Amino acid sequence: MAKSDPNWSDVDDYIVRHLIGEDPALDACLAANDKAGLPAIDVSPAQGRMLELLARSIGARHILEIGTLGGYSAIWLARALSDDGRLVSLELEPQYAAIARSNLERAGQSGKVDIIVGEAVSSLSAMKESQAPLFDFVFIDADKENYAAYLDHAIRLSRSGAMLVFDNVVRDGGVIDPDSDDPKVPGTRALYEALQNHSKVDATAIQTVGSKNWDGFLLAVVRA
Ligand code: SAH
Ligand code: DHB
Ligand code: MG
């Protein structure tokens, strides 16, 4: 059972009212996803805005996302880019990718975004670091089982100084339970283990509560 508290959502509503405001394109995206039966596991509005601001603050021009779903976080990330920037987003399910493309189109962002359908590990393996430009910012939010593999690919395909952000690294606190019956936990723990004394990145993780309950983001920066 997900641990939740109605106060967390009320505070998220307050944050959105003051700092984000109405956003018809994002509302339409969530409505289309719901209508198509997609799981409501997108980032929250406050989290999406955080991704946009992080990417903007480092002047990201080339962003990679692993796990598109209906394109909600992709809309936020695409908004961080100037007109000549690119977002590459990887998604397993062709039906989700089609909905994401239509949501990005409605949001006026489709010209900046390439969605690649398939197993992300395969798509990443086909991407060569010699194919510049390297990524400035990577958002990892697909199957948690492959998080350690996604870390390796993200480092390989990113410039030094790039920021990597992983979603869902706390999972109601389940991450500290080595015997967790949540199949997603071992993959997430493998990410932390890979990052312990890592030679190429510095990392931290921040716990969050809100409309998406108790979870967290892991942030890493690729060393020079
Ligand atoms: N980033 C999205 C939410 C992503 S949900 C948002 O915030 O709006 C996770 C997505 O990863 C799902 O759409 C799921 O289909 C996709 N996924 C799961 N396993 C995958 C894999 N092996 N390769 C690529 N995508 C995968
Ligand atoms: C799940 C996946 C996510 O990316 C998320 O943010 C929440 C839940 C899941 O697979 O359960
Ligand atoms: Mg997620």
Side-chain angles (χ1 to χ4, degrees), residues 41 141 144 167-168 171 184:
I41 55 174
D141 191 20
K144 317 309 167 197
D167 194 20
N168 311 116
R171 303 203 75 93
K184 297 171 172 74

Side-chain angles (χ1 to χ4, degrees), residues 92-116:
L92 179 63
E93 301 290 341
Q95 184 221 346
Y96 295 180
I99 291 162
R101 287 192 184 100
S102 124
N103 286 330
L104 283 154
E105 177 79 42
R106 191 190 309 98
Q109 300 298 334
S110 56
K112 293 185 228 166
V113 186
D114 295 311
I115 299 177
I116 301 175

Side-chain angles (χ1 to χ4, degrees), residues 34-145:
D34 186 53
K35 195 170 165 218
L38 269 55
I41 55 174
D42 349 67
V43 294
S44 73
Q47 292 171 345
R49 168 53 70 79
M50 181 191 76
L51 294 173
E52 183 202 345
L53 295 181
L54 287 173
R56 240 168 71 194
S57 72
I58 62 163
R61 296 185 57 197
H62 204 212
I63 301 179
L64 172 66
E65 174 176 69
I66 308 177
T68 319
L69 191 66
Y72 182 82
S73 53
I75 292 173
W76 283 109
L77 290 168
R79 287 175 175 175
L81 294 167
S82 52
D83 287 341
D84 60 350
R86 296 302 300 168
L87 167 64
V88 177
S89 187
L90 311 181
E91 174 54 48
L92 179 63
E93 301 290 341
Q95 184 221 346
Y96 295 180
I99 291 162
R101 287 192 184 100
S102 124
N103 286 330
L104 283 154
E105 177 79 42
R106 191 190 309 98
Q109 300 298 334
S110 56
K112 293 185 228 166
V113 186
D114 295 311
I115 299 177
I116 301 175
V117 175
E119 282 279 357
V121 168
S122 308
S123 303
L124 290 162
S125 300
M127 293 163 70
K128 298 294 166 220
E129 52 269 45
S130 54
Q131 286 168 14
L134 295 168
F135 292 108
D136 306 300
F137 189 95
V138 185
F139 178 50
I140 298 106
D141 191 20
D143 52 319
K144 317 309 167 197
E145 290 79 353

